[in-house]
Amino acid sequence: MALVGQMMSPSSSTATSSTPWESRKKRPGSFIEHPQLTQLSAMLKAIDTGDRVIKGRLELFSITRRRLTQNQQSDLERRSPSSLTDSPLGPLATDSAQILLTNLRVLMSLIFVNYDCTNLSPDEFERCSDKHDVVNNVNRSLADVIDRIHRGFLAEFWHVVQDVVDVAVCEVYAFRPTAGTFGPTDRSLMSFHYFFTDLERGHILFIGSVTKSRGSLRGGMGDSDSDVNFSGESVSSATSKERGGSDASSQLMEGEIAFSDDSDDADRMLD
């Protein structure tokens, strides 16, 4: 499929003119309602693969221009002095890197409501230089699984992604915490948490995928508040409830599973 390959080309960048859903934007530093994104997120609520259950979440976030506070800067200088001159987010001595870290902390706090994300270090994130690898991972571990059941999901998924962020020009970051330091990722089989950052449009698109074994769910290790709860209710999930829809975007289990080692399907997305 040529869709993703076209999105990777700067020449295919879509116009940034205002669309109807953009008129419903919330204040900076909060989730943005996007009806199609909510619908896709609902379809990712719980995917039963037999011995494992995978869940996904999509959220669109409105970037704030806030920098780190003086206290936050002092804390960062104490805990990670080298980040002032070099970090995966850029030198934290610069406004741009501080704004990015502030937004990632706020967004993580909205997603992982039962965990303190206010002091996340820039070293816990990774800049994904190869977007093709990111797309392949999302396809194999999440979108392609749904496409086997609902044909056409994969194409629709990336069409909606391109509607909210320009894949060709945005920067992609992944959350990579140190093992044993962040409960939601430690208690999962595997996980990915990507942040598609489009500064021109003022958006960050979060794409998260998580998986747990069916045995752990039967053993009472599932969606408990202390274990696996991305239960912060977003604008999109609240709107979905008001319309009688699914609350899929209000919860996300940690983890990701590569359902197949065969990369043919993902590679076709990049042709």
Side-chain angles (χ1 to χ4, degrees), residues 107-132:
L107 179 49
M108 288 287 289
S109 296
L110 291 174
I111 294 169
F112 296 93
V113 296
N114 293 321
Y115 295 86
D116 183 7
C117 300
T118 58
N119 294 310
L120 290 177
S121 164
D123 296 323
E124 293 178 282
F125 296 91
E126 174 185 305
R127 181 177 176 272
C128 303
S129 57
D130 192 335
K131 295 176 187 175
H132 288 74

Side-chain angles (χ1 to χ4, degrees), residues 12-207:
S12 66
S13 299
T14 57
T16 58
S17 58
S18 179
T19 55
W21 62 267
E22 287 185 302
S23 65
R24 295 192 290 270
K25 279 187 179 180
K26 291 286 183 174
R27 65 185 182 280
S30 65
F31 288 139
I32 303 172
E33 177 191 345
H34 187 285
Q36 288 176 288
L37 204 63
T38 301
Q39 183 179 15
L40 294 179
S41 193
M43 297 178 72
L44 302 174
K45 179 179 181 181
I47 308 166
D48 188 343
T49 65
D51 61 339
R52 300 174 180 185
V53 176
I54 184 171
K55 291 190 177 183
R57 181 171 178 176
L58 309 173
E59 289 291 356
L60 186 61
F61 179 81
S62 179
I63 291 176
T64 174
R65 303 301 299 176
R66 286 184 299 170
R67 300 168 63 251
L68 297 176
T69 66
Q70 190 61 51
N71 287 339
Q72 289 172 329
Q73 292 183 51
S74 299
D75 181 64
L76 194 61
E77 290 176 12
R78 176 179 59 81
R79 294 191 298 119
S80 181
S82 62
S83 67
L84 295 178
T85 56
D86 182 38
S87 86
L89 307 182
L92 265 297
T94 64
D95 288 351
S96 59
Q98 287 195 24
I99 290 172
L100 179 56
L101 179 58
T102 298
N103 279 279
L104 291 174
R105 285 176 171 180
V106 172
L107 179 49
M108 288 287 289
S109 296
L110 291 174
I111 294 169
F112 296 93
V113 296
N114 293 321
Y115 295 86
D116 183 7
C117 300
T118 58
N119 294 310
L120 290 177
S121 164
D123 296 323
E124 293 178 282
F125 296 91
E126 174 185 305
R127 181 177 176 272
C128 303
S129 57
D130 192 335
K131 295 176 187 175
H132 288 74
D133 281 349
V134 173
V135 169
N136 282 334
N137 196 24
V138 171
N139 287 347
R140 284 194 302 265
S141 306
L142 190 63
D144 188 50
V145 182
I146 295 292
D147 196 66
R148 298 171 192 171
I149 305 170
H150 302 283
R151 299 301 298 175
F153 177 86
L154 203 59
E156 181 183 3
F157 180 91
W158 290 109
H159 273 301
V160 173
V161 168
Q162 183 66 12
D163 186 45
V164 298
V165 294
D166 191 335
V167 177
V169 300
C170 73
E171 294 285 354
V172 181
Y173 300 91
F175 181 52
R176 310 283 195 202
T178 303
T181 63
F182 195 74
T185 56
D186 293 332
R187 297 188 182 101
S188 63
L189 293 175
M190 296 175 68
S191 66
F192 68 68
H193 307 92
Y194 292 124
F195 304 85
F196 288 68
T197 305
D198 189 332
L199 296 178
E200 183 174 347
R201 297 186 185 182
H203 298 163
I204 296 178
L205 174 65
F206 170 78
I207 302 179

